[in-house]
Amino acid sequence: VACSLLGKPVLDERLPYHAGVLGEAGTRSAAELMGGCDTLLLVGTNDPWTSYLPMPGQARTVQIDIDGRRVGSRYPVDLPLVGDAAETLRALLARVPDRPSPQWRATVENSVDRWRRELVDRASAPAEPVNPQLVLQELSSRLPRTGSVAVDVGSVIYWYARHLELPPGVNAQLCGTLGSMGCALPYAVAAKLAAPDQPVIALLGDGAMQLNGIAELVTVAHHWPRWQDPRLVVLVLNNRDQSGMGAGRQPVTDPGQRRPD
């Protein structure tokens, strides 16, 4: 399996066959998964990064969506299924014969293992003053087991997508099309207002913090005394972009080509 940016909280990312995020900010293992598949099942996704899916005609494609207008709107579909994803999947399971393919599964899991080792190497690379990839990787084991994460647009979205493992049950708020810079603090405040008894962590760059994050902290200061759980952690990663809009930079498209700034 692979997921969209917005689908990252859906499945436990520690599963050995979870190839990670697919698309602009995605992983090498997800790209390899798409390159080798012969049947593609799209579940509830309106992800715009269709150039990262198999070449049209390579794989038989089934799409499930509760909104029929989305089926086939971004990618050619052989079998459209309009309905609730959970109910439709349950109905499909009864019609799918058990035909285990240990060779394909082993190929996928080996690809996932290689990518995870590469992530460790990237995070371990020395940097001055700190490697941001290491920060996000170390955050994985320190996240609260409840609550949510809010992520801004820019370099931080790549590090979030690849290095941060969300514990099962932890939600995430972000812009799936990477078009709304400055969204992390408003998303974090909204998450706290919706669930004031849950912790929230906001991840953003220095440009987004300058854009509206400082003003949003005034909102936080106004509301936090009434929250049952006052924790709203703001992590700002300064990539030293002299334009002052550093959080909006898109450092890398192909994870195999270059290392993020």
Side-chain angles (χ1 to χ4, degrees):
V1 296
C3 65
S4 67
L5 268 174
L6 294 176
K8 190 173 164 71
V10 174
L11 292 175
D12 188 343
E13 296 183 280
R14 296 168 297 181
L15 293 169
Y17 50 83
H18 196 312
V21 172
L22 179 70
E24 175 73 11
T27 70
R28 188 195 309 278
S29 52
E32 292 175 353
L33 178 71
M34 293 297 105
C37 81
D38 59 19
T39 304
L40 179 65
L41 176 61
L42 301 170
V43 183
T45 177
N46 193 36
D47 197 82
W49 312 111
T50 54
S51 60
Y52 293 84
L53 295 176
M55 294 293 293
Q58 170 192 323
R60 296 165 293 177
T61 303
V62 180
Q63 184 174 1
I64 301 171
D65 204 292
I66 200 166
D67 185 350
R69 294 170 297 179
R70 291 186 174 182
V71 177
S73 64
R74 294 193 182 274
Y75 186 81
V77 173
D78 298 302
L79 181 60
L81 297 175
V82 179
D84 177 83
E87 294 180 7
T88 305
L89 287 171
R90 277 194 291 266
L92 283 178
L93 278 175
R95 297 172 175 269
V96 177
D98 183 15
R99 293 188 298 176
S101 177
Q103 296 86 0
W104 171 237
R105 180 161 180 151
T107 298
V108 173
E109 293 187 359
N110 287 336
S111 174
V112 171
D113 286 341
R114 286 194 303 273
W115 172 249
R116 289 175 178 171
R117 290 195 298 269
E118 182 177 335
L119 287 177
V120 172
D121 291 340
R122 291 187 181 201
S124 302
E128 179 62 36
V130 66
N131 185 336
Q133 297 169 102
L134 179 62
V135 174
L136 270 294
Q137 184 161 292
E138 289 295 323
L139 180 60
S140 296
S141 61
R142 293 167 170 81
L143 282 174
R145 287 333 191 222
T146 59
S148 61
V149 175
V151 191
D152 221 293
V153 173
S155 302
V156 68
I157 201 79
Y158 293 82
W159 303 325
Y160 158 78
R162 297 167 184 168
H163 289 274
L164 188 65
E165 285 188 351
L166 295 176
V170 172
N171 200 2
Q173 289 81 32
L174 52 97
C175 176
T177 56
L178 309 183
S180 297
M181 182 181 171
C183 61
L185 259 295
Y187 285 174
V189 171
K192 287 298 293 188
L193 294 176
D197 60 335
Q198 300 291 323
V200 175
I201 298 178
L203 310 176
L204 63 159
D206 54 303
M209 191 66 185
Q210 295 174 59
L211 184 66
N212 66 3
I214 295 173
E216 289 292 343
L217 291 182
V218 176
T219 306
V220 173
H222 176 72
H223 286 286
W224 79 264
R226 294 188 292 274
W227 292 336
Q228 294 96 314
D229 186 328
R231 288 177 292 173
L232 197 164
V233 178
V234 181
L235 172 61
V236 182
L237 297 169
N238 181 1
N239 66 5
R240 300 183 179 184
D241 189 310
Q242 296 304 311
S243 68
M245 299 294 283
R249 297 179 67 193
Q250 306 300 334
V252 60
T253 298
D254 182 353
Q257 294 298 317
R258 289 173 290 149
R259 183 170 294 166
D261 296 348

